[in-house]
Amino acid sequence: MTDKFKWIEWNIEHIALKGITPEESESVFHNPARGYPRRHRKGYLIKGKSILDRWIQVAFAREPDNRIFVFHARPLAPKERKALK
């Protein structure tokens, strides 16, 4: 995990419900799909390929200190992956 992200017990446990670790969610920021990140309802959304070679979606907000706070992450459905290619 890097200092660029803000991790607390809540968001670590929340993304773990979908089988995603902080390291995997951070890795998507290094390999985003075309057109991402983009603004979304409560912050931003990024879709991309993770270090585990899975396509995932991460919803996040920017903290006042400019760190990234991930509040949701999940694997993409096959139909969603196909739409990115």
Side-chain angles (χ1 to χ4, degrees):
M1 294 186 287
T2 67
D3 292 339
K4 185 177 175 182
F5 292 80
K6 180 179 179 181
W7 294 107
I8 60 173
E9 188 175 335
W10 178 86
N11 64 345
I12 293 169
E13 290 176 357
H14 186 70
I15 67 172
L17 294 173
K18 297 293 184 176
I20 297 173
T21 64
E23 292 82 7
E24 186 177 19
S25 65
E26 288 182 19
S27 72
V28 172
F29 288 80
H30 299 291
N31 195 19
R34 186 175 303 174
Y36 289 92
R38 61 173 69 157
R39 279 199 156 290
H40 193 60
R41 294 177 217 162
K42 296 180 181 179
Y44 299 90
L45 189 67
I46 188 169
K47 295 180 181 183
K49 205 162 206 183
S50 77
I51 55 173
L52 299 180
D53 204 33
R54 298 193 306 168
W55 285 93
I56 64 173
Q57 170 180 293
V58 176
F60 65 98
R62 287 277 183 185
E63 293 288 298
D65 63 3
N66 212 31
R67 287 187 298 165
I68 296 168
F69 184 78
V70 173
F71 56 85
H72 182 73
R74 66 173 177 82
L76 293 179
K79 197 173 197 178
E80 293 173 305
R81 290 192 305 264
K82 195 173 191 176
L84 292 176
K85 295 180 180 185

